[in-house]
Amino acid sequence: MDLHKEGDRGSAKQKKVKIVFVIGGPGSGKGTQCKRIAQQFGYTHLSVGEILRQEISSGSETGSMIQKIMKEGKLVPSDVTVRLLQQAMQGINSDKFLIDGFPRNEENVKAFEDLTKMEPEFVLYLDCPQDEMEKRLLSRNEGREDDNVETIRKRFKVFMESTLPTIEYYESKGKIRKVDAGKSIDEVFESIKVIFSQGKDNKVPPSRHKCKCLIL
Ligand SMILES: Nc1ncnc2c1ncn2[C@@H]1O[C@H](COP(=O)(O)OP(=O)(O)OP(=O)(O)O)[C@@H](O)[C@H]1O
Ligand SMILES: Nc1ccn([C@@H]2O[C@H](COP(=O)(O)O)[C@@H](O)[C@H]2O)c(=O)n1
Ligand SMILES: [Mg+2]
């Protein structure tokens, strides 16, 4: 990916692209909060789930493969996901990306690092109790095929087994910024604003997290 360069005809002028990943369980409020962050802090919001749903809508063979996986609440192979994400990023002239719903497992992390040679500035983790997430998803009403009890439970399992290890990985790098996402939309955004208002040198010290999502 050539996200680092800008200017005419491939001049070597460097463009520093800032990336923030946003992760959290299904229904933790990633999409809701990303919209607000993008608006207030000037980020380009890319929802990886949305990118995958667009591929389904295109009617491609890859799209039908994605549809089957999503219906099962499983994860799409990382080479497919990262290629589509990379294409979306390359099509937008922005230097600040908010990547919603990524990474979902260690394979996502590796594929992203290998392909883009980039790392996120930090990772926003929306930590929310599972019963609250389930309640939100069951009343979302956006017509998503995966918003039914059976698939939701499978998505929770995938989150616990595959996504939590990525949180540990970024925790070890001091990159996790965790917020309590079980509160109201406004309250969650207040906590997020503090994080996005912090300067580069004003980093929150790393701390071992305890997930609310595990306390059931
Ligand atoms: N803090 C909150 N309190 C109550 N409801 C919320 C809160 N945040 C989001 N919601 C609602 O919960 C539902 C799920 O939110 P959202 O779509 O933002 O979650 P998500 O993390 O993006 O989920 P997914 O991983 O399934 O895409 C939406 O209907 C949204 O309006
Ligand atoms: N990195 C990702 C992100 C998403 N998926 C698949 O899409 C589904 C919906 O994602 P949302 O972020 O919109 O909840 C998710 O359940 C996965 O099937 C993925 O594979 N990899
Ligand atoms: Mg979402």
Side-chain angles (χ1 to χ4, degrees), residues 55-87:
E55 187 63 26
I56 295 174
S57 301
S58 78
S60 69
E61 263 183 45
T62 305
S64 37
M65 179 267 284
I66 293 171
Q67 189 172 27
K68 284 188 199 118
I69 292 171
M70 251 194 208
K71 232 173 162 173
E72 278 299 304
K74 293 183 180 160
L75 296 178
V76 174
S78 298
D79 55 334
V80 174
T81 305
V82 173
R83 180 177 52 80
L84 291 171
L85 173 59
Q86 182 189 40
Q87 281 169 7

Side-chain angles (χ1 to χ4, degrees), residues 103-166:
R104 289 291 236 276
N105 61 9
E106 286 168 322
E107 191 193 64
N108 272 185
V109 173
K110 184 160 183 353
F112 187 85
E113 288 177 356
D114 287 353
L115 206 63
T116 68
K117 313 290 176 216
M118 290 195 280
E119 276 204 31
E121 193 93 348
F122 61 88
V123 179
L124 177 65
Y125 169 36
L126 302 188
D127 187 22
C128 190
Q130 191 169 303
D131 54 354
E132 172 66 18
M133 294 193 280
E134 184 167 307
K135 201 173 72 187
R136 291 179 189 175
L137 291 177
L138 290 174
S139 54
R140 180 155 57 180
N141 267 330
E142 286 179 3
R144 273 179 56 166
E145 248 188 317
D146 54 355
D147 279 351
N148 59 78
V149 178
E150 199 189 336
T151 312
I152 288 169
R153 299 259 163 96
K154 288 180 182 165
R155 288 156 70 199
F156 286 148
K157 191 164 184 286
V158 167
F159 175 70
M160 301 293 193
E161 291 176 0
S162 304
T163 310
L164 286 180
T166 70

Side-chain angles (χ1 to χ4, degrees), residues 36-49:
R36 291 188 169 206
I37 300 164
Q39 197 177 24
Q40 181 139 352
F41 295 96
Y43 280 78
T44 297
H45 173 204
L46 286 178
S47 158
V48 173

